[in-house]
Amino acid sequence: MDDLDAQEARKPTSVGTGVHGPPAQAGVIGVGLAAVLTFALAQGSWEWFAAYIGVTLLAVIFSFYRLPPWMPGLRSAYVQNLVAYSMVVGLCVAIALAPVLQRSAWLFPMPGTRSDCRELGKYERLRTESSLANLAGRDSAALAYAQDSQSHDAVADCLAHTTTRWLPLYGLGAAVLVGLGAWSFDRARARREADLAT
């Protein structure tokens, strides 16, 4: 009986939630793939559901993945994990920010692009009026609604395309900030633990 207890005590503990190991790595890879698919399959305007997806993926990463202990050297396992972790977080941040970037001039000015998109919306109003000119005498309210709808969709699609082109820059910026922050924090913690050990 004592031998069985000793064998149980020597068994390695299983990797649990929030601990670095194969399940956590697979989880981060899955999150990264989900983010890539979300980004690749996004059609037309960025909707608020994309922000929900991005925030959910970030919550999964922060809850179930921990970087390995800090180690010096650019070729260490820590740096490799940090790069992958930062890039996935940056991608999720970009997806979460996409609807806000598209709609908020204060966060993503794009002065020339926004005015060009508004001009495209005006053109779409005229095109809709021309194509539905026979409705003008019958139902002017329906014609005005169709013009507004087509103009709104044209402006939203124009802004969405521009936002998508700029998202990699925002994602890369977020990845750099996350990477530097995590590296500084883990390095400081490793030094504190080393000081306490000595």
Side-chain angles (χ1 to χ4, degrees), residues 2-39:
D2 291 337
D3 290 340
L4 287 175
D5 292 338
Q7 288 176 357
E8 289 293 327
R10 284 195 299 267
K11 282 184 181 178
T13 56
S14 61
V15 177
T17 300
V19 179
H20 175 75
Q25 289 176 346
V28 169
I29 292 171
V31 168
L33 290 175
V36 169
L37 288 174
T38 302
F39 188 81

Side-chain angles (χ1 to χ4, degrees), residues 32-186:
L33 290 175
V36 169
L37 288 174
T38 302
F39 188 81
L41 298 177
Q43 297 292 326
S45 177
W46 283 97
E47 299 300 333
W48 291 107
F49 190 59
Y52 178 78
I53 292 172
V55 171
T56 301
L57 295 175
L58 286 172
V60 170
I61 292 173
F62 292 146
S63 298
F64 295 102
Y65 186 78
R66 297 291 179 269
L67 289 167
W70 183 84
M71 293 171 52
L74 292 177
R75 295 186 179 181
S76 65
Y78 174 80
V79 171
Q80 294 173 6
N81 277 268
L82 179 64
V83 169
Y85 174 80
S86 301
M87 295 297 286
V88 171
V89 170
L91 181 59
C92 294
V93 168
I95 290 172
L97 284 180
V100 183
L101 293 173
Q102 177 182 323
R103 291 164 175 83
S104 300
W106 61 270
L107 184 62
F108 191 30
M110 302 186 299
T113 303
R114 288 191 183 277
S115 61
D116 291 346
C117 289
R118 282 193 292 270
E119 292 300 321
L120 183 62
K122 291 178 184 177
Y123 167 76
E124 195 61 34
R125 286 181 65 88
L126 293 174
R127 198 165 72 88
T128 303
E129 182 180 6
S130 175
S131 63
L132 300 177
N134 59 337
L135 290 180
R138 298 181 185 177
D139 194 342
S140 58
L143 176 60
Y145 177 79
Q147 286 180 298
D148 290 341
S149 177
Q150 293 297 323
S151 175
H152 177 270
D153 290 346
V155 172
D157 287 345
C158 176
L159 291 174
H161 290 312
T162 305
T163 302
T164 302
R165 284 197 298 268
W166 282 91
L167 276 184
L169 182 62
Y170 278 77
L172 182 61
V176 170
L177 291 176
V178 168
L180 289 175
W183 183 81
S184 300
F185 178 79
D186 290 342

